[in-house]
């Protein structure tokens, strides 16, 4: 959020059984002003049998000014996300903020 009350991206999540079932992304808007965004993107994540996101499937949006494709996620045998240049490991990050 910027000091003037605007944002680049705002996510609103819908949950079922602790899993995100819908992710609505509002792009370039202002807080407290309904419908004050440039466009929105609605995504329905798909999960595998281990409850990992394997695909996000956006629905067509007539407000969008650009075509947005879904993304597919791949995991290695250790369960780490392996997508292109983003490689995640199973190591504990000492910089995390929660105590779990």
């Amino acid at each position: 959020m910027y000091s003037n009350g605007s944002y680049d991206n705002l996510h609103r999540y819908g949950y079922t059984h602790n899993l995100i079932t819908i992710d609505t992304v509002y792009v370039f808007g202002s807080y407290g002003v309904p419908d004050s965004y440039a466009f929105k993107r609605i995504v329905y994540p798909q999960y595998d049998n281990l409850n990992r996101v394997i695909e996000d499937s956006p629905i067509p949006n007539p407000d969008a000014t650009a075509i947005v494709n879904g993304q597919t996620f791949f995991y290695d045998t250790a369960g780490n996300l392996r997508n292109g240049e983003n490689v995640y490991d199973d190591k504990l990050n000492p910089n995390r903020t929660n105590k779990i």
Side-chain angles (χ1 to χ4, degrees), residues 24-27 35 37-42 59-64:
T24 305
V25 184
Y26 299 90
V27 181
D35 298 327
Y37 52 85
F39 65 92
K40 68 180 176 181
R41 177 178 180 235
I42 301 173
I59 63 171
N61 183 354
D63 297 334

Side-chain angles (χ1 to χ4, degrees), residues 13-56:
Y13 299 107
Y15 294 90
T16 301
H17 304 293
N18 294 327
L19 293 176
I20 296 172
T21 54
I22 184 171
D23 175 10
T24 305
V25 184
Y26 299 90
V27 181
F28 301 120
S30 297
Y31 285 104
V33 183
D35 298 327
S36 67
Y37 52 85
F39 65 92
K40 68 180 176 181
R41 177 178 180 235
I42 301 173
V43 176
Y44 294 94
Q46 303 296 315
Y47 296 89
D48 65 7
N49 61 339
L50 298 174
N51 290 333
R52 301 176 299 196
V53 175
I54 55 172
E55 183 178 8
D56 65 359

